[in-house]
Amino acid sequence: MEESILRPLVEDRQFQGVELQNGNTLEASHAFIAFGSIDVHSDLARKLGAERMENGHLITNARTKMTNVDHIWAAGDVGVHAEQVTIAMDEGTLALFGLRNRSVNDKNRIIARL
């Protein structure tokens, strides 16, 4: 179903559903919010050589969030996204761990070469 929401239906601070723009109501006890059509507004990743999908979102390693360009990480809606703050936070955490692990590994390589 694709229809604009006119207003949420709430009773005693409890979500009851939504009233749709077309006048219909959709009853529900829970909701999950997402924003559609999130566009990438920066061209920086392309200029750095990061691999992108047709819609401009970046392709990253699922575990480390690093792009195909060494030392360039991406998280949240600039990547393959679900338009959710909690997922963006998770991806940011994964990117941070990926960056930290990479930095530690790079430092160990430099020390090993000395």
Side-chain angles (χ1 to χ4, degrees):
M1 173 188 297
E2 190 170 324
E3 181 66 41
S4 296
I5 295 173
L6 182 62
R7 66 182 183 95
L9 302 174
V10 179
E11 187 176 310
D12 295 327
R13 297 181 57 186
Q14 177 62 44
F15 180 76
Q16 301 291 317
V18 292
E19 181 180 345
L20 302 175
Q21 192 73 41
N22 66 9
N24 293 331
T25 59
L26 181 61
E27 294 180 8
S29 59
H30 298 79
F32 200 73
I33 300 169
F35 303 101
S37 302
I38 301 296
D39 297 322
V40 176
H41 296 285
S42 173
D43 206 29
L44 178 61
R46 183 192 61 76
K47 291 177 182 176
L48 295 171
E51 187 177 2
R52 301 178 310 152
M53 299 184 306
E54 272 185 37
N55 65 5
H57 293 270
L58 302 181
I59 298 171
T60 61
N61 176 291
R63 184 171 177 215
T64 66
K65 296 301 170 189
M66 190 163 74
T67 67
N68 64 303
V69 179
D70 211 17
H71 295 104
I72 303 292
W73 288 263
D77 287 345
V78 74
V80 178
H81 61 91
E83 301 165 2
Q84 294 293 318
V85 171
T86 53
I87 292 173
M89 291 168 53
D90 176 60
E91 288 187 347
T93 302
L94 290 173
L96 175 64
F97 284 125
L99 185 150
R100 185 194 69 76
N101 291 342
R102 181 60 185 266
S103 297
V104 167
N105 289 338
D106 286 352
K107 184 177 179 182
N108 288 341
R109 280 190 216 133
I110 292 168
I111 291 170
R113 283 188 230 152
L114 297 176

Tab-separated table of all heavy atoms in Angstrom, residues 57-106:
chain	number	residue	atom	x	y	z
A	57	HIS	N	24.457	5.399	-4.024
A	57	HIS	CA	24.839	4.875	-2.716
A	57	HIS	C	26.106	4.030	-2.837
A	57	HIS	O	26.337	3.372	-3.852
A	57	HIS	CB	23.696	4.064	-2.109
A	57	HIS	CG	22.514	4.918	-1.775
A	57	HIS	ND1	22.367	5.525	-0.562
A	57	HIS	CD2	21.456	5.296	-2.517
A	57	HIS	CE1	21.252	6.234	-0.559
A	57	HIS	NE2	20.677	6.113	-1.738
A	58	LEU	N	26.905	4.056	-1.790
A	58	LEU	CA	28.210	3.393	-1.820
A	58	LEU	C	28.107	1.919	-1.488
A	58	LEU	O	27.302	1.513	-0.653
A	58	LEU	CB	29.149	4.063	-0.828
A	58	LEU	CG	29.378	5.553	-1.031
A	58	LEU	CD1	30.334	6.077	0.006
A	58	LEU	CD2	29.889	5.836	-2.427
A	59	ILE	N	28.947	1.149	-2.118
A	59	ILE	CA	29.050	-0.280	-1.834
A	59	ILE	C	30.187	-0.457	-0.829
A	59	ILE	O	31.290	0.053	-1.039
A	59	ILE	CB	29.321	-1.064	-3.126
A	59	ILE	CG1	28.143	-0.882	-4.090
A	59	ILE	CG2	29.568	-2.535	-2.828
A	59	ILE	CD1	28.377	-1.421	-5.475
A	60	THR	N	29.888	-1.152	0.265
A	60	THR	CA	30.889	-1.352	1.313
A	60	THR	C	30.993	-2.823	1.681
A	60	THR	O	30.095	-3.614	1.397
A	60	THR	CB	30.518	-0.564	2.595
A	60	THR	OG1	29.265	-1.041	3.089
A	60	THR	CG2	30.442	0.922	2.338
A	61	ASN	N	32.084	-3.148	2.348
A	61	ASN	CA	32.245	-4.469	2.932
A	61	ASN	C	31.232	-4.573	4.071
A	61	ASN	O	31.179	-3.704	4.938
A	61	ASN	CB	33.677	-4.625	3.455
A	61	ASN	CG	33.888	-5.941	4.153
A	61	ASN	OD1	33.359	-6.175	5.231
A	61	ASN	ND2	34.706	-6.784	3.552
A	62	ALA	N	30.419	-5.616	4.083
A	62	ALA	CA	29.347	-5.744	5.077
A	62	ALA	C	29.863	-5.763	6.506
A	62	ALA	O	29.193	-5.287	7.422
A	62	ALA	CB	28.541	-7.006	4.802
A	63	ARG	N	31.062	-6.277	6.713
A	63	ARG	CA	31.593	-6.389	8.073
A	63	ARG	C	32.348	-5.143	8.512
A	63	ARG	O	32.199	-4.686	9.641
A	63	ARG	CB	32.508	-7.604	8.156
A	63	ARG	CG	33.031	-7.843	9.540
A	63	ARG	CD	33.741	-9.167	9.637
A	63	ARG	NE	34.285	-9.322	10.971
A	63	ARG	CZ	35.417	-9.923	11.231
A	63	ARG	NH1	36.123	-10.444	10.250
A	63	ARG	NH2	35.851	-10.025	12.457
A	64	THR	N	33.155	-4.577	7.632
A	64	THR	CA	34.028	-3.465	8.028
A	64	THR	C	33.518	-2.099	7.591
A	64	THR	O	33.996	-1.088	8.062
A	64	THR	CB	35.424	-3.636	7.426
A	64	THR	OG1	35.327	-3.520	5.996
A	64	THR	CG2	36.043	-4.970	7.811
A	65	LYS	N	32.593	-2.092	6.630
A	65	LYS	CA	32.034	-0.864	6.053
A	65	LYS	C	33.061	-0.072	5.247
A	65	LYS	O	32.843	1.074	4.907
A	65	LYS	CB	31.387	0.031	7.117
A	65	LYS	CG	30.195	-0.624	7.779
A	65	LYS	CD	29.171	-0.953	6.729
A	65	LYS	CE	28.046	-1.803	7.219
A	65	LYS	NZ	27.196	-2.262	6.125
A	66	MET	N	34.197	-0.698	4.902
A	66	MET	CA	35.164	-0.023	4.052
A	66	MET	C	34.718	-0.150	2.601
A	66	MET	O	34.203	-1.177	2.193
A	66	MET	CB	36.576	-0.589	4.218
A	66	MET	CG	37.627	0.279	3.516
A	66	MET	SD	39.326	-0.024	4.054
A	66	MET	CE	39.659	-1.580	3.280
A	67	THR	N	34.909	0.914	1.846
A	67	THR	CA	34.588	0.902	0.418
A	67	THR	C	35.696	0.170	-0.328
A	67	THR	O	36.648	-0.323	0.281
A	67	THR	CB	34.450	2.337	-0.121
A	67	THR	OG1	35.734	2.973	-0.085
A	67	THR	CG2	33.435	3.147	0.678
A	68	ASN	N	35.610	0.155	-1.637
A	68	ASN	CA	36.662	-0.461	-2.441
A	68	ASN	C	37.943	0.372	-2.444
A	68	ASN	O	38.978	-0.080	-2.892
A	68	ASN	CB	36.184	-0.681	-3.876
A	68	ASN	CG	35.883	0.625	-4.593
A	68	ASN	OD1	35.073	1.426	-4.127
A	68	ASN	ND2	36.525	0.849	-5.719
A	69	VAL	N	37.866	1.594	-1.911
A	69	VAL	CA	39.045	2.463	-1.819
A	69	VAL	C	39.648	2.287	-0.432
A	69	VAL	O	38.965	2.469	0.580
A	69	VAL	CB	38.669	3.945	-2.059
A	69	VAL	CG1	39.903	4.831	-1.940
A	69	VAL	CG2	38.018	4.109	-3.416
A	70	ASP	N	40.916	1.915	-0.397
A	70	ASP	CA	41.609	1.696	0.865
A	70	ASP	C	41.500	2.920	1.767
A	70	ASP	O	41.731	4.050	1.326
A	70	ASP	CB	43.086	1.393	0.563
A	70	ASP	CG	43.694	0.460	1.577
A	70	ASP	OD1	42.933	-0.203	2.316
A	70	ASP	OD2	44.926	0.391	1.631
A	71	HIS	N	41.112	2.708	3.008
A	71	HIS	CA	40.996	3.736	4.039
A	71	HIS	C	39.828	4.698	3.843
A	71	HIS	O	39.825	5.796	4.382
A	71	HIS	CB	42.311	4.523	4.197
A	71	HIS	CG	43.431	3.671	4.693
A	71	HIS	ND1	44.416	3.225	3.849
A	71	HIS	CD2	43.698	3.163	5.904
A	71	HIS	CE1	45.257	2.487	4.541
A	71	HIS	NE2	44.840	2.418	5.797
A	72	ILE	N	38.808	4.288	3.086
A	72	ILE	CA	37.581	5.071	2.951
A	72	ILE	C	36.422	4.188	3.409
A	72	ILE	O	36.144	3.151	2.804
A	72	ILE	CB	37.328	5.540	1.497
A	72	ILE	CG1	38.499	6.361	0.977
A	72	ILE	CG2	36.011	6.308	1.414
A	72	ILE	CD1	38.679	7.707	1.657
A	73	TRP	N	35.769	4.591	4.515
A	73	TRP	CA	34.649	3.857	5.077
A	73	TRP	C	33.364	4.647	4.860
A	73	TRP	O	33.396	5.869	4.722
A	73	TRP	CB	34.845	3.634	6.580
A	73	TRP	CG	35.908	2.637	6.903
A	73	TRP	CD1	35.734	1.317	7.184
A	73	TRP	CD2	37.317	2.864	7.008
A	73	TRP	NE1	36.944	0.706	7.430
A	73	TRP	CE2	37.940	1.645	7.338
A	73	TRP	CE3	38.125	3.991	6.846
A	73	TRP	CZ2	39.292	1.517	7.519
A	73	TRP	CZ3	39.482	3.865	7.028
A	73	TRP	CH2	40.057	2.631	7.356
A	74	ALA	N	32.237	3.963	4.866
A	74	ALA	CA	30.936	4.622	4.716
A	74	ALA	C	29.906	3.904	5.583
A	74	ALA	O	29.946	2.687	5.740
A	74	ALA	CB	30.495	4.593	3.257
A	75	ALA	N	28.997	4.668	6.150
A	75	ALA	CA	27.943	4.088	6.983
A	75	ALA	C	26.685	4.940	6.868
A	75	ALA	O	26.738	6.104	6.481
A	75	ALA	CB	28.406	4.030	8.437
A	76	GLY	N	25.568	4.323	7.203
A	76	GLY	CA	24.302	5.048	7.191
A	76	GLY	C	23.719	5.152	5.797
A	76	GLY	O	23.955	4.299	4.940
A	77	ASP	N	22.971	6.220	5.557
A	77	ASP	CA	22.210	6.338	4.324
A	77	ASP	C	23.047	6.559	3.075
A	77	ASP	O	22.526	6.496	1.974
A	77	ASP	CB	21.177	7.455	4.444
A	77	ASP	CG	20.022	7.047	5.345
A	77	ASP	OD1	19.898	5.844	5.622
A	77	ASP	OD2	19.256	7.928	5.755
A	78	VAL	N	24.339	6.804	3.202
A	78	VAL	CA	25.179	6.941	2.009
A	78	VAL	C	25.506	5.563	1.424
A	78	VAL	O	25.882	5.438	0.288
A	78	VAL	CB	26.464	7.750	2.310
A	78	VAL	CG1	27.454	6.933	3.110
A	78	VAL	CG2	27.080	8.269	1.039
A	79	GLY	N	25.307	4.529	2.226
A	79	GLY	CA	25.544	3.165	1.768
A	79	GLY	C	24.234	2.473	1.454
A	79	GLY	O	23.197	3.105	1.285
A	80	VAL	N	24.295	1.155	1.372
A	80	VAL	CA	23.078	0.367	1.198
A	80	VAL	C	22.351	0.499	2.516
A	80	VAL	O	22.816	0.040	3.542
A	80	VAL	CB	23.420	-1.113	0.889
A	80	VAL	CG1	22.157	-1.928	0.765
A	80	VAL	CG2	24.251	-1.186	-0.378
A	81	HIS	N	21.227	1.140	2.493
A	81	HIS	CA	20.635	1.601	3.742
A	81	HIS	C	19.189	1.178	3.921
A	81	HIS	O	18.529	0.760	2.991
A	81	HIS	CB	20.721	3.123	3.812
A	81	HIS	CG	19.980	3.778	2.684
A	81	HIS	ND1	18.672	4.126	2.790
A	81	HIS	CD2	20.361	4.092	1.437
A	81	HIS	CE1	18.273	4.653	1.644
A	81	HIS	NE2	19.288	4.639	0.802
A	82	ALA	N	18.742	1.329	5.153
A	82	ALA	CA	17.355	1.040	5.492
A	82	ALA	C	16.662	2.305	5.992
A	82	ALA	O	15.548	2.236	6.466
A	82	ALA	CB	17.290	-0.046	6.553
A	83	GLU	N	17.333	3.436	5.900
A	83	GLU	CA	16.771	4.720	6.297
A	83	GLU	C	16.308	4.701	7.750
A	83	GLU	O	15.246	5.203	8.081
A	83	GLU	CB	15.632	5.113	5.359
A	83	GLU	CG	16.081	5.207	3.925
A	83	GLU	CD	14.941	5.232	2.947
A	83	GLU	OE1	13.781	5.215	3.358
A	83	GLU	OE2	15.222	5.278	1.739
A	84	GLN	N	17.097	4.115	8.619
A	84	GLN	CA	16.772	4.025	10.034
A	84	GLN	C	17.970	4.471	10.861
A	84	GLN	O	19.104	4.059	10.599
A	84	GLN	CB	16.408	2.589	10.422
A	84	GLN	CG	15.131	2.108	9.783
A	84	GLN	CD	13.922	2.849	10.307
A	84	GLN	OE1	13.805	3.100	11.500
A	84	GLN	NE2	13.024	3.218	9.428
A	85	VAL	N	17.701	5.295	11.868
A	85	VAL	CA	18.769	5.806	12.725
A	85	VAL	C	19.506	4.663	13.407
A	85	VAL	O	20.736	4.661	13.469
A	85	VAL	CB	18.197	6.793	13.765
A	85	VAL	CG1	19.243	7.169	14.799
A	85	VAL	CG2	17.662	8.027	13.076
A	86	THR	N	18.782	3.681	13.914
A	86	THR	CA	19.439	2.593	14.637
A	86	THR	C	20.373	1.792	13.740
A	86	THR	O	21.442	1.365	14.169
A	86	THR	CB	18.399	1.651	15.273
A	86	THR	OG1	17.475	1.229	14.261
A	86	THR	CG2	17.640	2.336	16.386
A	87	ILE	N	19.988	1.606	12.490
A	87	ILE	CA	20.854	0.877	11.552
A	87	ILE	C	22.072	1.724	11.203
A	87	ILE	O	23.192	1.220	11.129
A	87	ILE	CB	20.063	0.454	10.301
A	87	ILE	CG1	19.036	-0.600	10.701
A	87	ILE	CG2	20.995	-0.068	9.213
A	87	ILE	CD1	18.072	-0.988	9.613
A	88	ALA	N	21.866	3.029	11.028
A	88	ALA	CA	22.993	3.925	10.745
A	88	ALA	C	23.977	3.915	11.915
A	88	ALA	O	25.191	3.927	11.713
A	88	ALA	CB	22.491	5.339	10.473
A	89	MET	N	23.450	3.897	13.145
A	89	MET	CA	24.323	3.843	14.325
A	89	MET	C	25.118	2.544	14.336
A	89	MET	O	26.321	2.541	14.615
A	89	MET	CB	23.487	3.971	15.603
A	89	MET	CG	22.886	5.350	15.786
A	89	MET	SD	21.628	5.434	17.075
A	89	MET	CE	22.462	4.750	18.482
A	90	ASP	N	24.465	1.433	14.015
A	90	ASP	CA	25.136	0.136	13.955
A	90	ASP	C	26.230	0.149	12.895
A	90	ASP	O	27.357	-0.280	13.153
A	90	ASP	CB	24.111	-0.961	13.650
A	90	ASP	CG	24.757	-2.317	13.474
A	90	ASP	OD1	25.409	-2.789	14.434
A	90	ASP	OD2	24.629	-2.898	12.376
A	91	GLU	N	25.903	0.677	11.718
A	91	GLU	CA	26.897	0.734	10.649
A	91	GLU	C	28.058	1.644	11.028
A	91	GLU	O	29.205	1.361	10.692
A	91	GLU	CB	26.253	1.203	9.349
A	91	GLU	CG	25.357	0.157	8.735
A	91	GLU	CD	24.855	0.554	7.368
A	91	GLU	OE1	24.993	1.727	6.973
A	91	GLU	OE2	24.322	-0.335	6.686
A	92	GLY	N	27.764	2.740	11.718
A	92	GLY	CA	28.834	3.631	12.189
A	92	GLY	C	29.761	2.909	13.147
A	92	GLY	O	30.988	3.070	13.094
A	93	THR	N	29.173	2.092	14.023
A	93	THR	CA	29.978	1.306	14.967
A	93	THR	C	30.833	0.288	14.227
A	93	THR	O	32.021	0.129	14.526
A	93	THR	CB	29.062	0.605	15.986
A	93	THR	OG1	28.290	1.592	16.670
A	93	THR	CG2	29.875	-0.193	16.992
A	94	LEU	N	30.230	-0.398	13.244
A	94	LEU	CA	31.010	-1.359	12.451
A	94	LEU	C	32.148	-0.658	11.709
A	94	LEU	O	33.270	-1.177	11.644
A	94	LEU	CB	30.105	-2.082	11.458
A	94	LEU	CG	29.110	-3.072	12.039
A	94	LEU	CD1	28.164	-3.575	10.953
A	94	LEU	CD2	29.824	-4.228	12.703
A	95	ALA	N	31.859	0.523	11.153
A	95	ALA	CA	32.893	1.281	10.445
A	95	ALA	C	34.020	1.676	11.399
A	95	ALA	O	35.198	1.602	11.051
A	95	ALA	CB	32.283	2.517	9.782
A	96	LEU	N	33.653	2.092	12.602
A	96	LEU	CA	34.664	2.463	13.597
A	96	LEU	C	35.552	1.281	13.940
A	96	LEU	O	36.776	1.409	13.982
A	96	LEU	CB	33.993	3.004	14.863
A	96	LEU	CG	34.928	3.309	16.028
A	96	LEU	CD1	35.887	4.430	15.657
A	96	LEU	CD2	34.126	3.682	17.253
A	97	PHE	N	34.945	0.104	14.157
A	97	PHE	CA	35.742	-1.090	14.444
A	97	PHE	C	36.593	-1.470	13.242
A	97	PHE	O	37.748	-1.877	13.397
A	97	PHE	CB	34.861	-2.269	14.868
A	97	PHE	CG	34.360	-2.165	16.278
A	97	PHE	CD1	33.009	-2.240	16.540
A	97	PHE	CD2	35.231	-1.978	17.334
A	97	PHE	CE1	32.535	-2.139	17.833
A	97	PHE	CE2	34.771	-1.872	18.633
A	97	PHE	CZ	33.413	-1.961	18.885
A	98	GLY	N	36.032	-1.347	12.041
A	98	GLY	CA	36.799	-1.641	10.840
A	98	GLY	C	37.995	-0.718	10.708
A	98	GLY	O	39.108	-1.149	10.401
A	99	LEU	N	37.773	0.566	10.972
A	99	LEU	CA	38.859	1.548	10.907
A	99	LEU	C	39.917	1.262	11.978
A	99	LEU	O	41.113	1.241	11.696
A	99	LEU	CB	38.278	2.944	11.107
A	99	LEU	CG	39.212	4.119	10.957
A	99	LEU	CD1	38.429	5.312	10.446
A	99	LEU	CD2	39.902	4.478	12.244
A	100	ARG	N	39.456	0.991	13.207
A	100	ARG	CA	40.398	0.702	14.297
A	100	ARG	C	41.211	-0.544	13.994
A	100	ARG	O	42.436	-0.551	14.123
A	100	ARG	CB	39.652	0.518	15.620
A	100	ARG	CG	40.621	0.327	16.801
A	100	ARG	CD	39.949	-0.181	18.043
A	100	ARG	NE	39.479	-1.557	17.965
A	100	ARG	CZ	40.249	-2.639	18.051
A	100	ARG	NH1	41.548	-2.524	18.165
A	100	ARG	NH2	39.730	-3.836	17.989
A	101	ASN	N	40.539	-1.590	13.561
A	101	ASN	CA	41.252	-2.836	13.251
A	101	ASN	C	42.239	-2.631	12.118
A	101	ASN	O	43.353	-3.158	12.156
A	101	ASN	CB	40.265	-3.952	12.908
A	101	ASN	CG	39.466	-4.399	14.105
A	101	ASN	OD1	39.842	-4.148	15.249
A	101	ASN	ND2	38.336	-5.042	13.866
A	102	ARG	N	41.848	-1.878	11.116
A	102	ARG	CA	42.739	-1.606	10.006
A	102	ARG	C	43.948	-0.801	10.468
A	102	ARG	O	45.083	-1.067	10.080
A	102	ARG	CB	41.982	-0.868	8.900
A	102	ARG	CG	42.808	-0.566	7.692
A	102	ARG	CD	43.343	-1.886	7.068
A	102	ARG	NE	44.219	-1.617	5.997
A	102	ARG	CZ	43.845	-1.573	4.725
A	102	ARG	NH1	42.606	-1.819	4.382
A	102	ARG	NH2	44.713	-1.297	3.787
A	103	SER	N	43.711	0.203	11.322
A	103	SER	CA	44.804	1.030	11.837
A	103	SER	C	45.781	0.206	12.655
A	103	SER	O	46.994	0.355	12.526
A	103	SER	CB	44.248	2.171	12.700
A	103	SER	OG	43.455	3.017	11.921
A	104	VAL	N	45.240	-0.692	13.500
A	104	VAL	CA	46.106	-1.557	14.311
A	104	VAL	C	46.911	-2.469	13.406
A	104	VAL	O	48.118	-2.633	13.582
A	104	VAL	CB	45.263	-2.374	15.324
A	104	VAL	CG1	46.092	-3.495	15.942
A	104	VAL	CG2	44.698	-1.459	16.398
A	105	ASN	N	46.258	-3.064	12.406
A	105	ASN	CA	46.961	-3.958	11.477
A	105	ASN	C	48.026	-3.204	10.692
A	105	ASN	O	49.130	-3.708	10.491
A	105	ASN	CB	45.979	-4.632	10.522
A	105	ASN	CG	45.126	-5.670	11.220
A	105	ASN	OD1	45.499	-6.178	12.272
A	105	ASN	ND2	43.980	-5.967	10.643
A	106	ASP	N	47.710	-1.988	10.224
A	106	ASP	CA	48.692	-1.190	9.487
A	106	ASP	C	49.875	-0.846	10.382
A	106	ASP	O	51.022	-0.922	9.960
A	106	ASP	CB	48.063	0.103	8.955
A	106	ASP	CG	47.141	-0.150	7.769
A	106	ASP	OD1	47.110	-1.298	7.259
A	106	ASP	OD2	46.438	0.791	7.370
